[in-house]
Amino acid sequence: MSQPLFVLNGPSLQLLGKREPHLYGHETLAQIEARCAATAKAHGREIVFRQTNHEGALIDWIFEARETAAGLVLNGAAYTHTSVALHDALRTLSIPVIEVHLSNPYAREAFRQHSYVSPVARGVICGLGPIGYELAIAALADILKKETPPA
Ligand code: DQA
């Protein structure tokens, strides 16, 4: 079996569906996980899907992805805008990283308009809600198909 795609989620995303639904929608994180698993399966891939409220845990998982994953979808949530440590960990990866946000941070408060993730991401998908995760997985599958040398 090929290496999995990691889908990592940062703080407060465990409350999706309940938290500010006018911004983040009504779907739960479990429903988004199911979408991701189905999309990955359609591309012949498996996912490892996790959420944490702890910066260090997120960084440990990024290093786990570095060793074991084929690609990474990351919604760093608020750490996107604050964490140099997240940026530094991501810089060490050679696997493709897609940054995802449910909302469009560029249409919101000024403090959301800087991302420590974007400069080290292959691509950024934001403002499209849960389908953004599926688009990110499809993009990773496409990148990996194009860039993985034949065995
Ligand atoms: C978010 C956007 C961030 O600015 C915010 O801190 C989040 C969620 C999103 O998915 O839209 O927690 O990453």
Side-chain angles (χ1 to χ4, degrees):
M1 192 61 188
S2 58
Q3 290 174 301
L5 304 177
F6 269 41
V7 184
L8 300 181
N9 295 280
S12 308
L13 293 172
Q14 83 281 5
L15 288 179
L16 280 181
K18 296 188 187 127
R19 171 193 182 210
E20 299 186 275
H22 60 289
L23 287 173
Y24 301 120
H26 293 278
E27 268 188 48
T28 64
L29 197 60
Q31 288 170 317
I32 292 176
E33 178 175 1
R35 279 177 179 257
C36 288
T39 305
K41 195 173 173 197
H43 290 279
R45 296 265 171 192
E46 285 182 346
I47 57 162
V48 170
F49 190 100
R50 297 181 190 156
Q51 185 276 331
T52 180
N53 296 321
H54 303 277
E55 187 175 11
L58 194 56
I59 289 165
D60 283 345
W61 291 344
I62 286 167
F63 289 127
E64 189 182 333
R66 184 175 190 271
E67 301 302 325
T68 63
L72 171 63
V73 176
L74 176 64
N75 184 348
Y79 290 137
T80 306
H81 315 300
T82 62
S83 180
V84 176
L86 188 58
H87 173 93
D88 281 351
L90 291 167
R91 285 182 79 90
T92 74
L93 302 188
S94 52
I95 58 173
V97 178
I98 312 282
E99 175 182 359
V100 168
H101 301 283
L102 294 155
S103 67
N104 177 0
Y106 302 99
R108 298 180 59 193
E109 303 95 323
F111 64 82
R112 295 184 203 277
Q113 291 171 23
H114 176 265
S115 168
Y116 284 101
V117 175
S118 298
V120 283
R122 184 71 76 94
V124 181
I125 298 171
C126 67
L128 303 179
I131 200 173
Y133 282 75
E134 292 185 76
L135 296 172
I137 285 175
L140 278 183
D142 190 58
I143 290 167
L144 292 166
K145 205 161 93 185
K146 284 190 193 132
E147 297 182 5
T148 307

